[in-house]
Protein backbone atom coordinates (compact mmCIF):
# COMPACT_ATOMS: atom_id res chain seq x y z
CA UNK A 1 0.00 0.00 0.00
CA UNK A 2 1.47 3.36 -1.03
CA UNK A 3 1.66 6.28 1.36
CA UNK A 4 -1.15 8.04 -0.51
CA UNK A 5 -3.37 4.96 -0.34
CA UNK A 6 -2.55 4.48 3.34
CA UNK A 7 -3.44 8.10 4.09
CA UNK A 8 -6.70 7.75 2.17
CA UNK A 9 -7.50 4.51 3.99
CA UNK A 10 -6.96 6.11 7.38
CA UNK A 11 -9.12 9.12 6.47
CA UNK A 12 -11.96 7.27 4.72
CA UNK A 13 -15.27 6.40 6.34
CA UNK A 14 -16.44 2.83 6.66
CA UNK A 15 -18.74 1.31 4.05
CA UNK A 16 -21.22 0.68 6.85
CA UNK A 17 -21.47 4.42 7.51
CA UNK A 18 -21.68 5.28 3.81
CA UNK A 19 -24.36 2.67 3.10
CA UNK A 20 -26.49 3.88 5.99
CA UNK A 21 -26.20 7.48 4.82
CA UNK A 22 -27.00 6.44 1.24
CA UNK A 23 -30.28 4.83 2.32
CA UNK A 24 -31.12 7.72 4.65
CA UNK A 25 -30.63 10.01 1.67
CA UNK A 26 -32.82 7.82 -0.56
CA UNK A 27 -35.54 7.81 2.09
CA UNK A 28 -35.41 11.62 2.19
CA UNK A 29 -35.66 11.71 -1.60
CA UNK A 30 -38.67 9.36 -1.57
CA UNK A 31 -40.39 11.63 0.95
CA UNK A 32 -39.65 14.67 -1.22
CA UNK A 33 -41.18 12.84 -4.18
CA UNK A 34 -44.26 12.20 -2.05
CA UNK A 35 -44.45 15.91 -1.30
CA UNK A 36 -44.18 16.60 -5.02
CA UNK A 37 -47.04 14.20 -5.72
CA UNK A 38 -49.19 15.99 -3.13
CA UNK A 39 -48.22 19.55 -4.11
CA UNK A 40 -47.94 19.87 -7.86
CA UNK A 41 -48.48 23.63 -7.52
CA UNK A 42 -45.08 23.79 -5.78
CA UNK A 43 -43.39 21.33 -8.12
CA UNK A 44 -40.28 23.43 -8.78
CA UNK A 45 -39.29 23.43 -5.10
CA UNK A 46 -39.65 19.67 -4.69
CA UNK A 47 -38.01 18.86 -8.02
CA UNK A 48 -34.99 20.95 -7.01
CA UNK A 49 -34.85 19.20 -3.62
CA UNK A 50 -34.88 15.79 -5.33
CA UNK A 51 -32.03 16.91 -7.60
CA UNK A 52 -29.97 18.02 -4.59
CA UNK A 53 -30.50 14.67 -2.87
CA UNK A 54 -29.61 12.76 -6.04
CA UNK A 55 -26.36 14.73 -6.26
CA UNK A 56 -25.64 13.86 -2.63
CA UNK A 57 -26.23 10.24 -3.56
CA UNK A 58 -23.67 10.54 -6.36
CA UNK A 59 -21.10 11.84 -3.87
CA UNK A 60 -21.82 8.96 -1.49
CA UNK A 61 -21.46 6.50 -4.37
CA UNK A 62 -18.10 8.01 -5.29
CA UNK A 63 -16.99 7.86 -1.65
CA UNK A 64 -18.00 4.20 -1.40
CA UNK A 65 -15.99 3.30 -4.50
CA UNK A 66 -12.99 5.19 -3.13
CA UNK A 67 -13.24 3.18 0.10
CA UNK A 68 -12.60 0.02 -1.95
CA UNK A 69 -9.58 1.34 -3.83
CA UNK A 70 -6.98 0.22 -1.27
CA UNK A 71 -8.26 -3.38 -1.26
CA UNK A 72 -7.05 -6.17 -3.53
CA UNK A 73 -9.67 -6.88 -6.18
CA UNK A 74 -11.70 -10.00 -5.46
CA UNK A 75 -15.16 -11.49 -5.90
CA UNK A 76 -16.14 -9.76 -2.65
CA UNK A 77 -15.10 -6.38 -4.07
CA UNK A 78 -17.01 -7.05 -7.30
CA UNK A 79 -20.22 -7.87 -5.44
CA UNK A 80 -19.79 -4.83 -3.19
CA UNK A 81 -19.35 -2.61 -6.25
CA UNK A 82 -22.63 -3.97 -7.61
CA UNK A 83 -24.35 -3.19 -4.30
CA UNK A 84 -23.04 0.38 -4.44
CA UNK A 85 -24.40 0.78 -7.97
CA UNK A 86 -27.81 -0.53 -6.93
CA UNK A 87 -27.99 1.86 -3.98
CA UNK A 88 -27.22 4.68 -6.41
CA UNK A 89 -29.92 3.41 -8.78
CA UNK A 90 -32.55 3.85 -6.04
CA UNK A 91 -31.99 7.57 -5.58
CA UNK A 92 -31.47 8.02 -9.33
CA UNK A 93 -34.88 6.45 -9.99
CA UNK A 94 -36.58 8.75 -7.51
CA UNK A 95 -34.94 11.83 -8.98
CA UNK A 96 -35.67 10.67 -12.54
CA UNK A 97 -39.35 10.38 -11.58
CA UNK A 98 -39.31 13.98 -10.36
CA UNK A 99 -37.63 15.02 -13.62
CA UNK A 100 -40.32 13.28 -15.66
CA UNK A 101 -43.01 15.07 -13.67
CA UNK A 102 -41.26 18.31 -14.58
CA UNK A 103 -41.19 17.36 -18.27
CA UNK A 104 -44.67 15.85 -18.57
CA UNK A 105 -46.35 18.42 -16.32
CA UNK A 106 -49.36 16.26 -15.31
CA UNK A 107 -52.41 17.98 -13.83
CA UNK A 108 -52.77 15.27 -11.19
CA UNK A 109 -50.87 12.23 -9.96
CA UNK A 110 -52.09 8.76 -10.82
CA UNK A 111 -53.07 6.58 -7.85
CA UNK A 112 -50.75 3.90 -9.19
CA UNK A 113 -47.78 6.26 -8.77
CA UNK A 114 -48.77 6.93 -5.17
CA UNK A 115 -49.11 3.20 -4.54
CA UNK A 116 -45.72 2.30 -6.03
CA UNK A 117 -44.05 5.12 -4.10
CA UNK A 118 -45.47 3.67 -0.89
CA UNK A 119 -43.94 0.33 -1.85
CA UNK A 120 -40.58 2.00 -2.47
CA UNK A 121 -40.69 3.72 0.92
CA UNK A 122 -41.36 0.37 2.61
CA UNK A 123 -38.49 -1.25 0.70
CA UNK A 124 -36.00 1.48 1.60
CA UNK A 125 -37.00 1.39 5.26
CA UNK A 126 -36.62 -2.41 5.39
CA UNK A 127 -33.27 -2.27 3.63
CA UNK A 128 -32.10 0.44 6.05
CA UNK A 129 -32.82 -1.87 8.97
CA UNK A 130 -30.82 -4.70 7.44
CA UNK A 131 -27.92 -2.54 6.28
CA UNK A 132 -27.62 -1.36 9.88
CA UNK A 133 -26.10 -4.74 10.71
CA UNK A 134 -23.50 -4.61 7.93
CA UNK A 135 -21.03 -6.30 7.71
CA UNK A 136 -21.95 -8.71 10.52
CA UNK A 137 -25.51 -9.47 9.48
CA UNK A 138 -27.22 -12.69 10.39
CA UNK A 139 -27.68 -14.59 7.12
CA UNK A 140 -31.20 -15.71 8.02
CA UNK A 141 -32.25 -12.10 8.58
CA UNK A 142 -30.76 -11.00 5.26
CA UNK A 143 -32.55 -13.80 3.45
CA UNK A 144 -35.81 -12.76 5.11
CA UNK A 145 -35.13 -9.19 3.94
CA UNK A 146 -34.57 -10.37 0.36
CA UNK A 147 -37.80 -12.37 0.43
CA UNK A 148 -39.75 -9.42 1.82
CA UNK A 149 -38.35 -7.04 -0.80
CA UNK A 150 -39.13 -9.55 -3.55
CA UNK A 151 -42.76 -9.52 -2.42
CA UNK A 152 -42.74 -5.72 -2.49
CA UNK A 153 -41.18 -5.70 -5.96
CA UNK A 154 -43.82 -8.14 -7.23
CA UNK A 155 -46.53 -5.93 -5.73
CA UNK A 156 -45.18 -2.88 -7.57
CA UNK A 157 -44.98 -4.85 -10.80
CA UNK A 158 -48.63 -5.89 -10.38
CA UNK A 159 -49.69 -2.27 -9.76
CA UNK A 160 -47.90 -1.18 -12.93
CA UNK A 161 -49.33 -4.07 -14.99
CA UNK A 162 -52.89 -3.51 -13.75
CA UNK A 163 -52.65 0.20 -14.49
CA UNK A 164 -51.61 -0.48 -18.08
CA UNK A 165 -54.42 -3.01 -18.56
CA UNK A 166 -56.94 -0.50 -17.23
CA UNK A 167 -55.77 2.23 -19.60
CA UNK A 168 -55.98 -0.06 -22.63
CA UNK A 169 -59.44 -1.33 -21.73
CA UNK A 170 -61.07 1.94 -20.65
CA UNK A 171 -59.25 4.41 -22.91
CA UNK A 172 -59.64 7.13 -20.27
CA UNK A 173 -56.44 9.02 -21.17
CA UNK A 174 -55.13 10.72 -24.25
CA UNK A 175 -52.30 8.87 -25.99
CA UNK A 176 -49.82 11.50 -24.83
CA UNK A 177 -50.87 11.26 -21.19
CA UNK A 178 -50.85 7.48 -21.33
CA UNK A 179 -47.35 7.51 -22.82
CA UNK A 180 -46.13 9.95 -20.16
CA UNK A 181 -47.52 7.93 -17.29
CA UNK A 182 -46.29 4.65 -18.75
CA UNK A 183 -42.78 6.11 -18.64
CA UNK A 184 -43.16 7.60 -15.14
CA UNK A 185 -44.60 4.42 -13.65
CA UNK A 186 -41.97 2.37 -15.47
CA UNK A 187 -39.18 4.34 -13.77
CA UNK A 188 -40.83 3.87 -10.38
CA UNK A 189 -41.18 0.13 -10.98
CA UNK A 190 -37.51 -0.08 -12.02
CA UNK A 191 -36.62 1.63 -8.74
CA UNK A 192 -38.24 -1.23 -6.83
CA UNK A 193 -36.10 -3.61 -8.89
CA UNK A 194 -32.98 -1.72 -7.75
CA UNK A 195 -33.99 -1.99 -4.09
CA UNK A 196 -34.71 -5.71 -4.40
CA UNK A 197 -31.41 -6.41 -6.15
CA UNK A 198 -29.59 -4.42 -3.46
CA UNK A 199 -31.01 -6.86 -0.91
CA UNK A 200 -29.92 -9.83 -3.03
CA UNK A 201 -26.40 -8.43 -3.31
CA UNK A 202 -26.23 -7.83 0.43
CA UNK A 203 -27.21 -11.46 0.91
CA UNK A 204 -24.42 -12.57 -1.45
CA UNK A 205 -21.90 -10.43 0.44
CA UNK A 206 -22.86 -11.96 3.77
CA UNK A 207 -22.69 -15.50 2.36
CA UNK A 208 -19.26 -14.71 0.88
CA UNK A 209 -17.97 -13.35 4.18
CA UNK A 210 -19.17 -16.42 6.05
CA UNK A 211 -17.36 -18.72 3.61
CA UNK A 212 -14.11 -16.70 3.76
Amino acid sequence: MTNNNLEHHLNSRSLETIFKEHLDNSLDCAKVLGQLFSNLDERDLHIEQAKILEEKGDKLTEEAFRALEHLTYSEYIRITEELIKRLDDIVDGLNNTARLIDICHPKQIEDAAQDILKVILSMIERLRIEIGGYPNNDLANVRACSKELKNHESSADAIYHDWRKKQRSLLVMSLIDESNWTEILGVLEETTDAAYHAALLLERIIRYRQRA
Side-chain angles (χ1 to χ4, degrees):
M1 184 181 297
T2 67
N3 289 337
N4 286 340
N5 284 341
L6 177 60
E7 181 180 356
H8 167 68
H9 175 52
L10 293 173
N11 292 331
S12 64
R13 298 192 298 168
S14 68
L15 284 174
E16 176 186 0
T17 300
I18 299 168
F19 289 165
K20 286 179 180 177
E21 190 170 336
H22 221 316
L23 287 170
D24 287 344
N25 185 64
S26 291
L27 186 61
D28 288 342
C29 195
K31 290 177 179 177
V32 165
L33 190 58
Q35 292 168 2
L36 171 61
F37 284 1
S38 300
N39 299 280
L40 286 177
D41 291 341
E42 300 177 1
R43 71 183 71 213
D44 290 346
L45 170 64
H46 302 307
I47 290 168
E48 181 61 25
Q49 288 175 333
K51 180 174 183 288
I52 291 170
L53 291 167
E54 187 272 336
E55 290 171 348
K56 180 180 178 181
D58 285 344
K59 291 178 181 177
L60 290 166
T61 296
E62 182 180 351
E63 183 182 3
F65 278 122
R66 286 201 310 268
L68 297 174
E69 288 178 350
H70 67 282
L71 300 176
T72 302
Y73 194 79
S74 65
E75 179 67 10
Y76 168 75
I77 299 300
R78 189 189 70 78
I79 300 170
T80 304
E81 288 176 341
E82 287 297 317
L83 173 58
I84 294 168
K85 292 175 184 176
R86 288 298 185 175
L87 292 177
D88 190 61
D89 287 343
I90 296 171
V91 71
D92 281 350
L94 295 166
N95 178 61
N96 288 341
T97 302
R99 289 295 178 207
L100 284 170
I101 296 294
D102 189 31
I103 293 168
C104 300
H105 223 275
K107 294 182 175 62
Q108 63 183 26
I109 300 298
E110 287 291 293
D111 289 343
Q114 300 275 17
D115 292 341
I116 296 177
L117 181 58
K118 289 177 183 176
V119 172
I120 293 172
L121 280 162
S122 296
M123 295 179 83
I124 295 173
E125 288 173 344
R126 180 64 180 88
L127 196 53
R128 281 172 75 233
I129 293 172
E130 202 55 52
I131 212 76
Y134 178 89
N136 300 310
N137 305 71
D138 178 80
L139 182 57
N141 289 341
V142 182
R143 285 174 172 166
C145 176
S146 297
K147 183 177 181 180
E148 185 176 333
L149 264 65
K150 174 57 179 175
N151 290 337
H152 282 311
E153 186 274 334
S154 297
S155 173
D157 184 64
I159 292 168
Y160 176 63
H161 181 69
D162 289 347
W163 180 87
R164 295 207 67 188
K165 282 178 60 179
K166 177 182 176 182
Q167 302 313 311
R168 293 302 173 91
S169 62
L170 299 181
L171 300 175
V172 295
M173 281 187 171
S174 69
L175 289 177
I176 292 176
D177 286 342
E178 181 182 344
S179 176
N180 288 342
W181 274 109
T182 298
E183 185 174 5
I184 293 168
L185 293 172
V187 170
L188 283 170
E189 198 279 327
E190 288 171 1
T191 305
T192 68
D193 291 343
Y196 168 55
H197 283 98
L200 286 180
L201 288 161
L202 178 61
E203 182 181 336
R204 288 181 63 190
I205 288 171
I206 300 309
R207 282 194 277 109
Y208 183 93
R209 287 178 63 87
Q210 290 187 355
R211 291 197 307 268

